[in-house]
Amino acid sequence: MALGVVDHLVVSSATLSEGVAYIEDLLGVSMSEGGEHPIMGTHNALLSLGPATYLEVISVNPDADAPDHARWFDLDYFTGPARLTNWALRVPDLHQALLRAPEGSGDELQLSRGDLRWDMAVPADGRLPFAGCAPGLLSWQGDLPAPRLPDHGLRLAALEITHPEAEALRVALHPLVQDPRISVHSGQPGLAAWIDTPAGLVQL
């Protein structure tokens, strides 16, 4: 069974404009317009991190109807400044990945935005396992979004995950992804990413 690869980083924000401003100020490049997710009542903006990886700023869409279920990435309860909150893992077979994923990784949903189509596992309560440190699992059907984005020369250099149950998280991730850029350490739940930019490494 083929392992997954890092698909994208998720930066949550109280408003889309706030999140976009945060990333553009931090990385010194312009983000691209994303779109809306009516089934979740959210919208996003995107930034290339290479030919198959990207960064997503996502927030509740104030102009959309509120869904009758929890929004993904625990956005219903997001507060504070824009920050890196989650990451997504692209897998070749979502059903098979869920058989090996941590309990609570979610149920399969068929999703779309414009002409993009993907299947994603979304927990019923919107909260991914290990306090959001476990990845959101998805499988694209057709084109990936990353190649459509302007390439500003940014690349994901490292993703550091901290959690008080670090060893349990390492064990949970092992059958899903093995990527030298990912490291797991003991500590309070959280994520930190290092982005390689033309001006040097920047921590997100």
Side-chain angles (χ1 to χ4, degrees):
M1 179 68 186
L3 295 172
V5 296
V6 177
D7 186 73
H8 66 277
L9 304 179
V10 180
V11 172
S12 298
S13 182
T15 67
L16 191 59
S17 59
E18 178 185 335
V20 168
Y22 163 62
I23 292 299
E24 292 184 345
D25 289 346
L26 183 67
L27 299 177
V29 297
S30 297
M31 297 197 70
S32 298
E33 182 179 350
E36 300 181 357
H37 315 107
I39 193 172
M40 290 292 168
T42 58
H43 56 175
N44 67 1
L46 308 177
L47 180 66
S48 168
L49 294 178
T53 312
Y54 65 99
L55 181 153
E56 170 189 43
V57 170
I58 190 167
S59 71
V60 171
N61 182 357
D63 298 323
D65 293 333
D68 59 1
H69 50 80
R71 292 180 172 92
W72 46 20
F73 304 123
D74 205 21
L75 281 171
D76 290 309
Y77 299 97
F78 180 82
T79 59
R83 60 190 182 275
L84 177 64
T85 57
N86 298 93
W87 60 294
L89 188 68
R90 183 169 69 250
V91 296
D93 186 319
L94 181 58
H95 178 72
Q96 289 298 318
L98 281 171
L99 295 178
R100 299 176 294 161
E103 184 178 355
S105 290
D107 298 318
E108 297 180 50
L109 292 180
Q110 293 183 335
L111 300 162
S112 65
R113 182 175 64 76
D115 62 343
L116 293 171
R117 301 286 184 275
W118 71 102
D119 297 333
M120 187 162 187
V122 180
D125 63 0
R127 298 172 177 172
L128 287 162
F130 290 93
C133 292
L137 302 175
L138 61 82
S139 180
W140 290 98
Q141 308 303 316
D143 292 343
L144 302 179
R148 303 182 179 192
L149 301 171
D151 190 340
H152 299 287
L154 308 180
R155 298 293 184 269
L156 174 63
L159 176 63
E160 182 179 290
I161 307 170
T162 56
H163 192 276
E165 299 177 12
E167 183 57 30
L169 180 53
R170 288 190 198 100
V171 170
L173 291 177
H174 185 75
L176 296 173
V177 59
Q178 294 175 35
D179 187 326
R181 298 174 300 175
I182 299 174
S183 61
V184 181
H185 308 274
S186 181
Q188 292 301 308
L191 303 175
W194 279 262
I195 309 299
D196 193 1
T197 79
L201 280 176
V202 175
Q203 182 180 347
L204 175 64

